[in-house]
Amino acid sequence: MRAGYRVGQFLQAVRARPEVGDLAQALKHLDPPLFRLFLQMSPDEQAHSLRVLHLLLAEGQDDPDLLAAALLHDVGKSRMGLRLWERVLATLLGPFVQHREKSGRKEASSGWTRALAVASLHPAWGAELIEAAGGSQQLQELVRRHQDPIRRPPATRLESLLHALQQADERS
């Protein structure tokens, strides 16, 4: 991605906070245990997730698991709180660095590699959190696979939902 786009994302993240009405909309798409997970995310991650939701709704998407995945696709990042500069580092370097972390444990990484561990492991962590909160199997898979490459054109319903989620995530 272009550097200017990433700078814009950073500036947007610094000021992003969800509005009360947006939180009410999130609650509309999440059962209470899943909404509690959403509230564990940082305010800028919540705002990002709400932008993803709004894009999907504007496209006419109505699958309940897809809309919940829009809100929770990055919830695994809350497992290991990162400072803003660490999230920026992970976003900028993530596509260029193949992180070889094998363990999903919190204490597996330290220093600057911690941000890269979160970037690579947060989908699996998010799926685990959603499973523990009683989220559906499809929602778990959407979150677990939200960064996976998919076939073009998508061959299954799940891949079609993933494609929509990925496209909205990229645009938000």
Side-chain angles (χ1 to χ4, degrees):
M1 296 211 170
R2 300 180 332 261
Y5 173 78
R6 291 299 186 190
V7 169
Q9 271 189 321
F10 171 76
L11 294 174
Q12 192 174 38
V14 169
R15 351 178 252 271
R17 300 289 177 266
E19 301 287 330
V20 172
D22 287 331
L23 292 175
Q25 189 172 29
L27 184 57
K28 177 181 169 187
H29 295 286
L30 298 171
D31 292 335
L34 295 173
F35 184 69
R36 284 191 289 276
L37 288 180
F38 177 79
L39 293 176
Q40 291 176 14
M41 295 167 42
S42 67
D44 61 291
E45 290 289 349
Q46 290 175 10
H48 162 72
S49 295
L50 286 159
R51 287 191 304 273
V52 174
L53 174 69
H54 292 150
L55 286 169
L56 290 170
L57 290 170
E59 293 172 0
Q61 296 286 351
D62 62 359
D63 182 278
D65 287 328
L66 175 61
L67 300 178
L71 294 166
L72 296 173
H73 68 279
D74 285 335
V75 73
K77 292 178 181 179
S78 66
R79 186 169 173 187
M80 186 184 300
L82 294 177
R83 293 177 289 274
L84 182 58
W85 72 266
E86 291 174 307
R87 290 198 311 270
V88 169
L89 180 68
T91 300
L92 292 174
L93 296 180
F96 304 107
V97 178
Q98 179 69 19
H99 189 70
R100 298 172 199 261
E101 182 96 37
K102 298 295 185 202
S103 169
R105 294 190 178 140
K106 280 177 124 177
E107 56 279 354
S109 294
S110 61
W112 70 273
T113 61
R114 190 171 85 104
L116 295 176
V118 171
S120 65
L121 296 171
H122 82 271
W125 291 343
E128 291 170 5
L129 291 169
I130 290 166
E131 179 182 23
S136 74
Q137 187 66 39
Q138 180 172 269
L139 173 56
Q140 293 170 46
E141 281 304 303
L142 287 168
V143 169
R144 180 179 291 109
R145 296 181 53 199
H146 81 270
Q147 292 185 332
D148 291 356
I150 56 170
R151 293 175 277 209
R152 299 289 197 284
T156 65
R157 171 88 173 130
L158 180 65
E159 286 183 356
S160 294
L161 295 174
L162 277 168
H163 179 68
L165 178 60
Q166 290 171 351
Q167 294 295 321
D169 190 20
E170 291 246 338
R171 292 192 320 264
S172 67

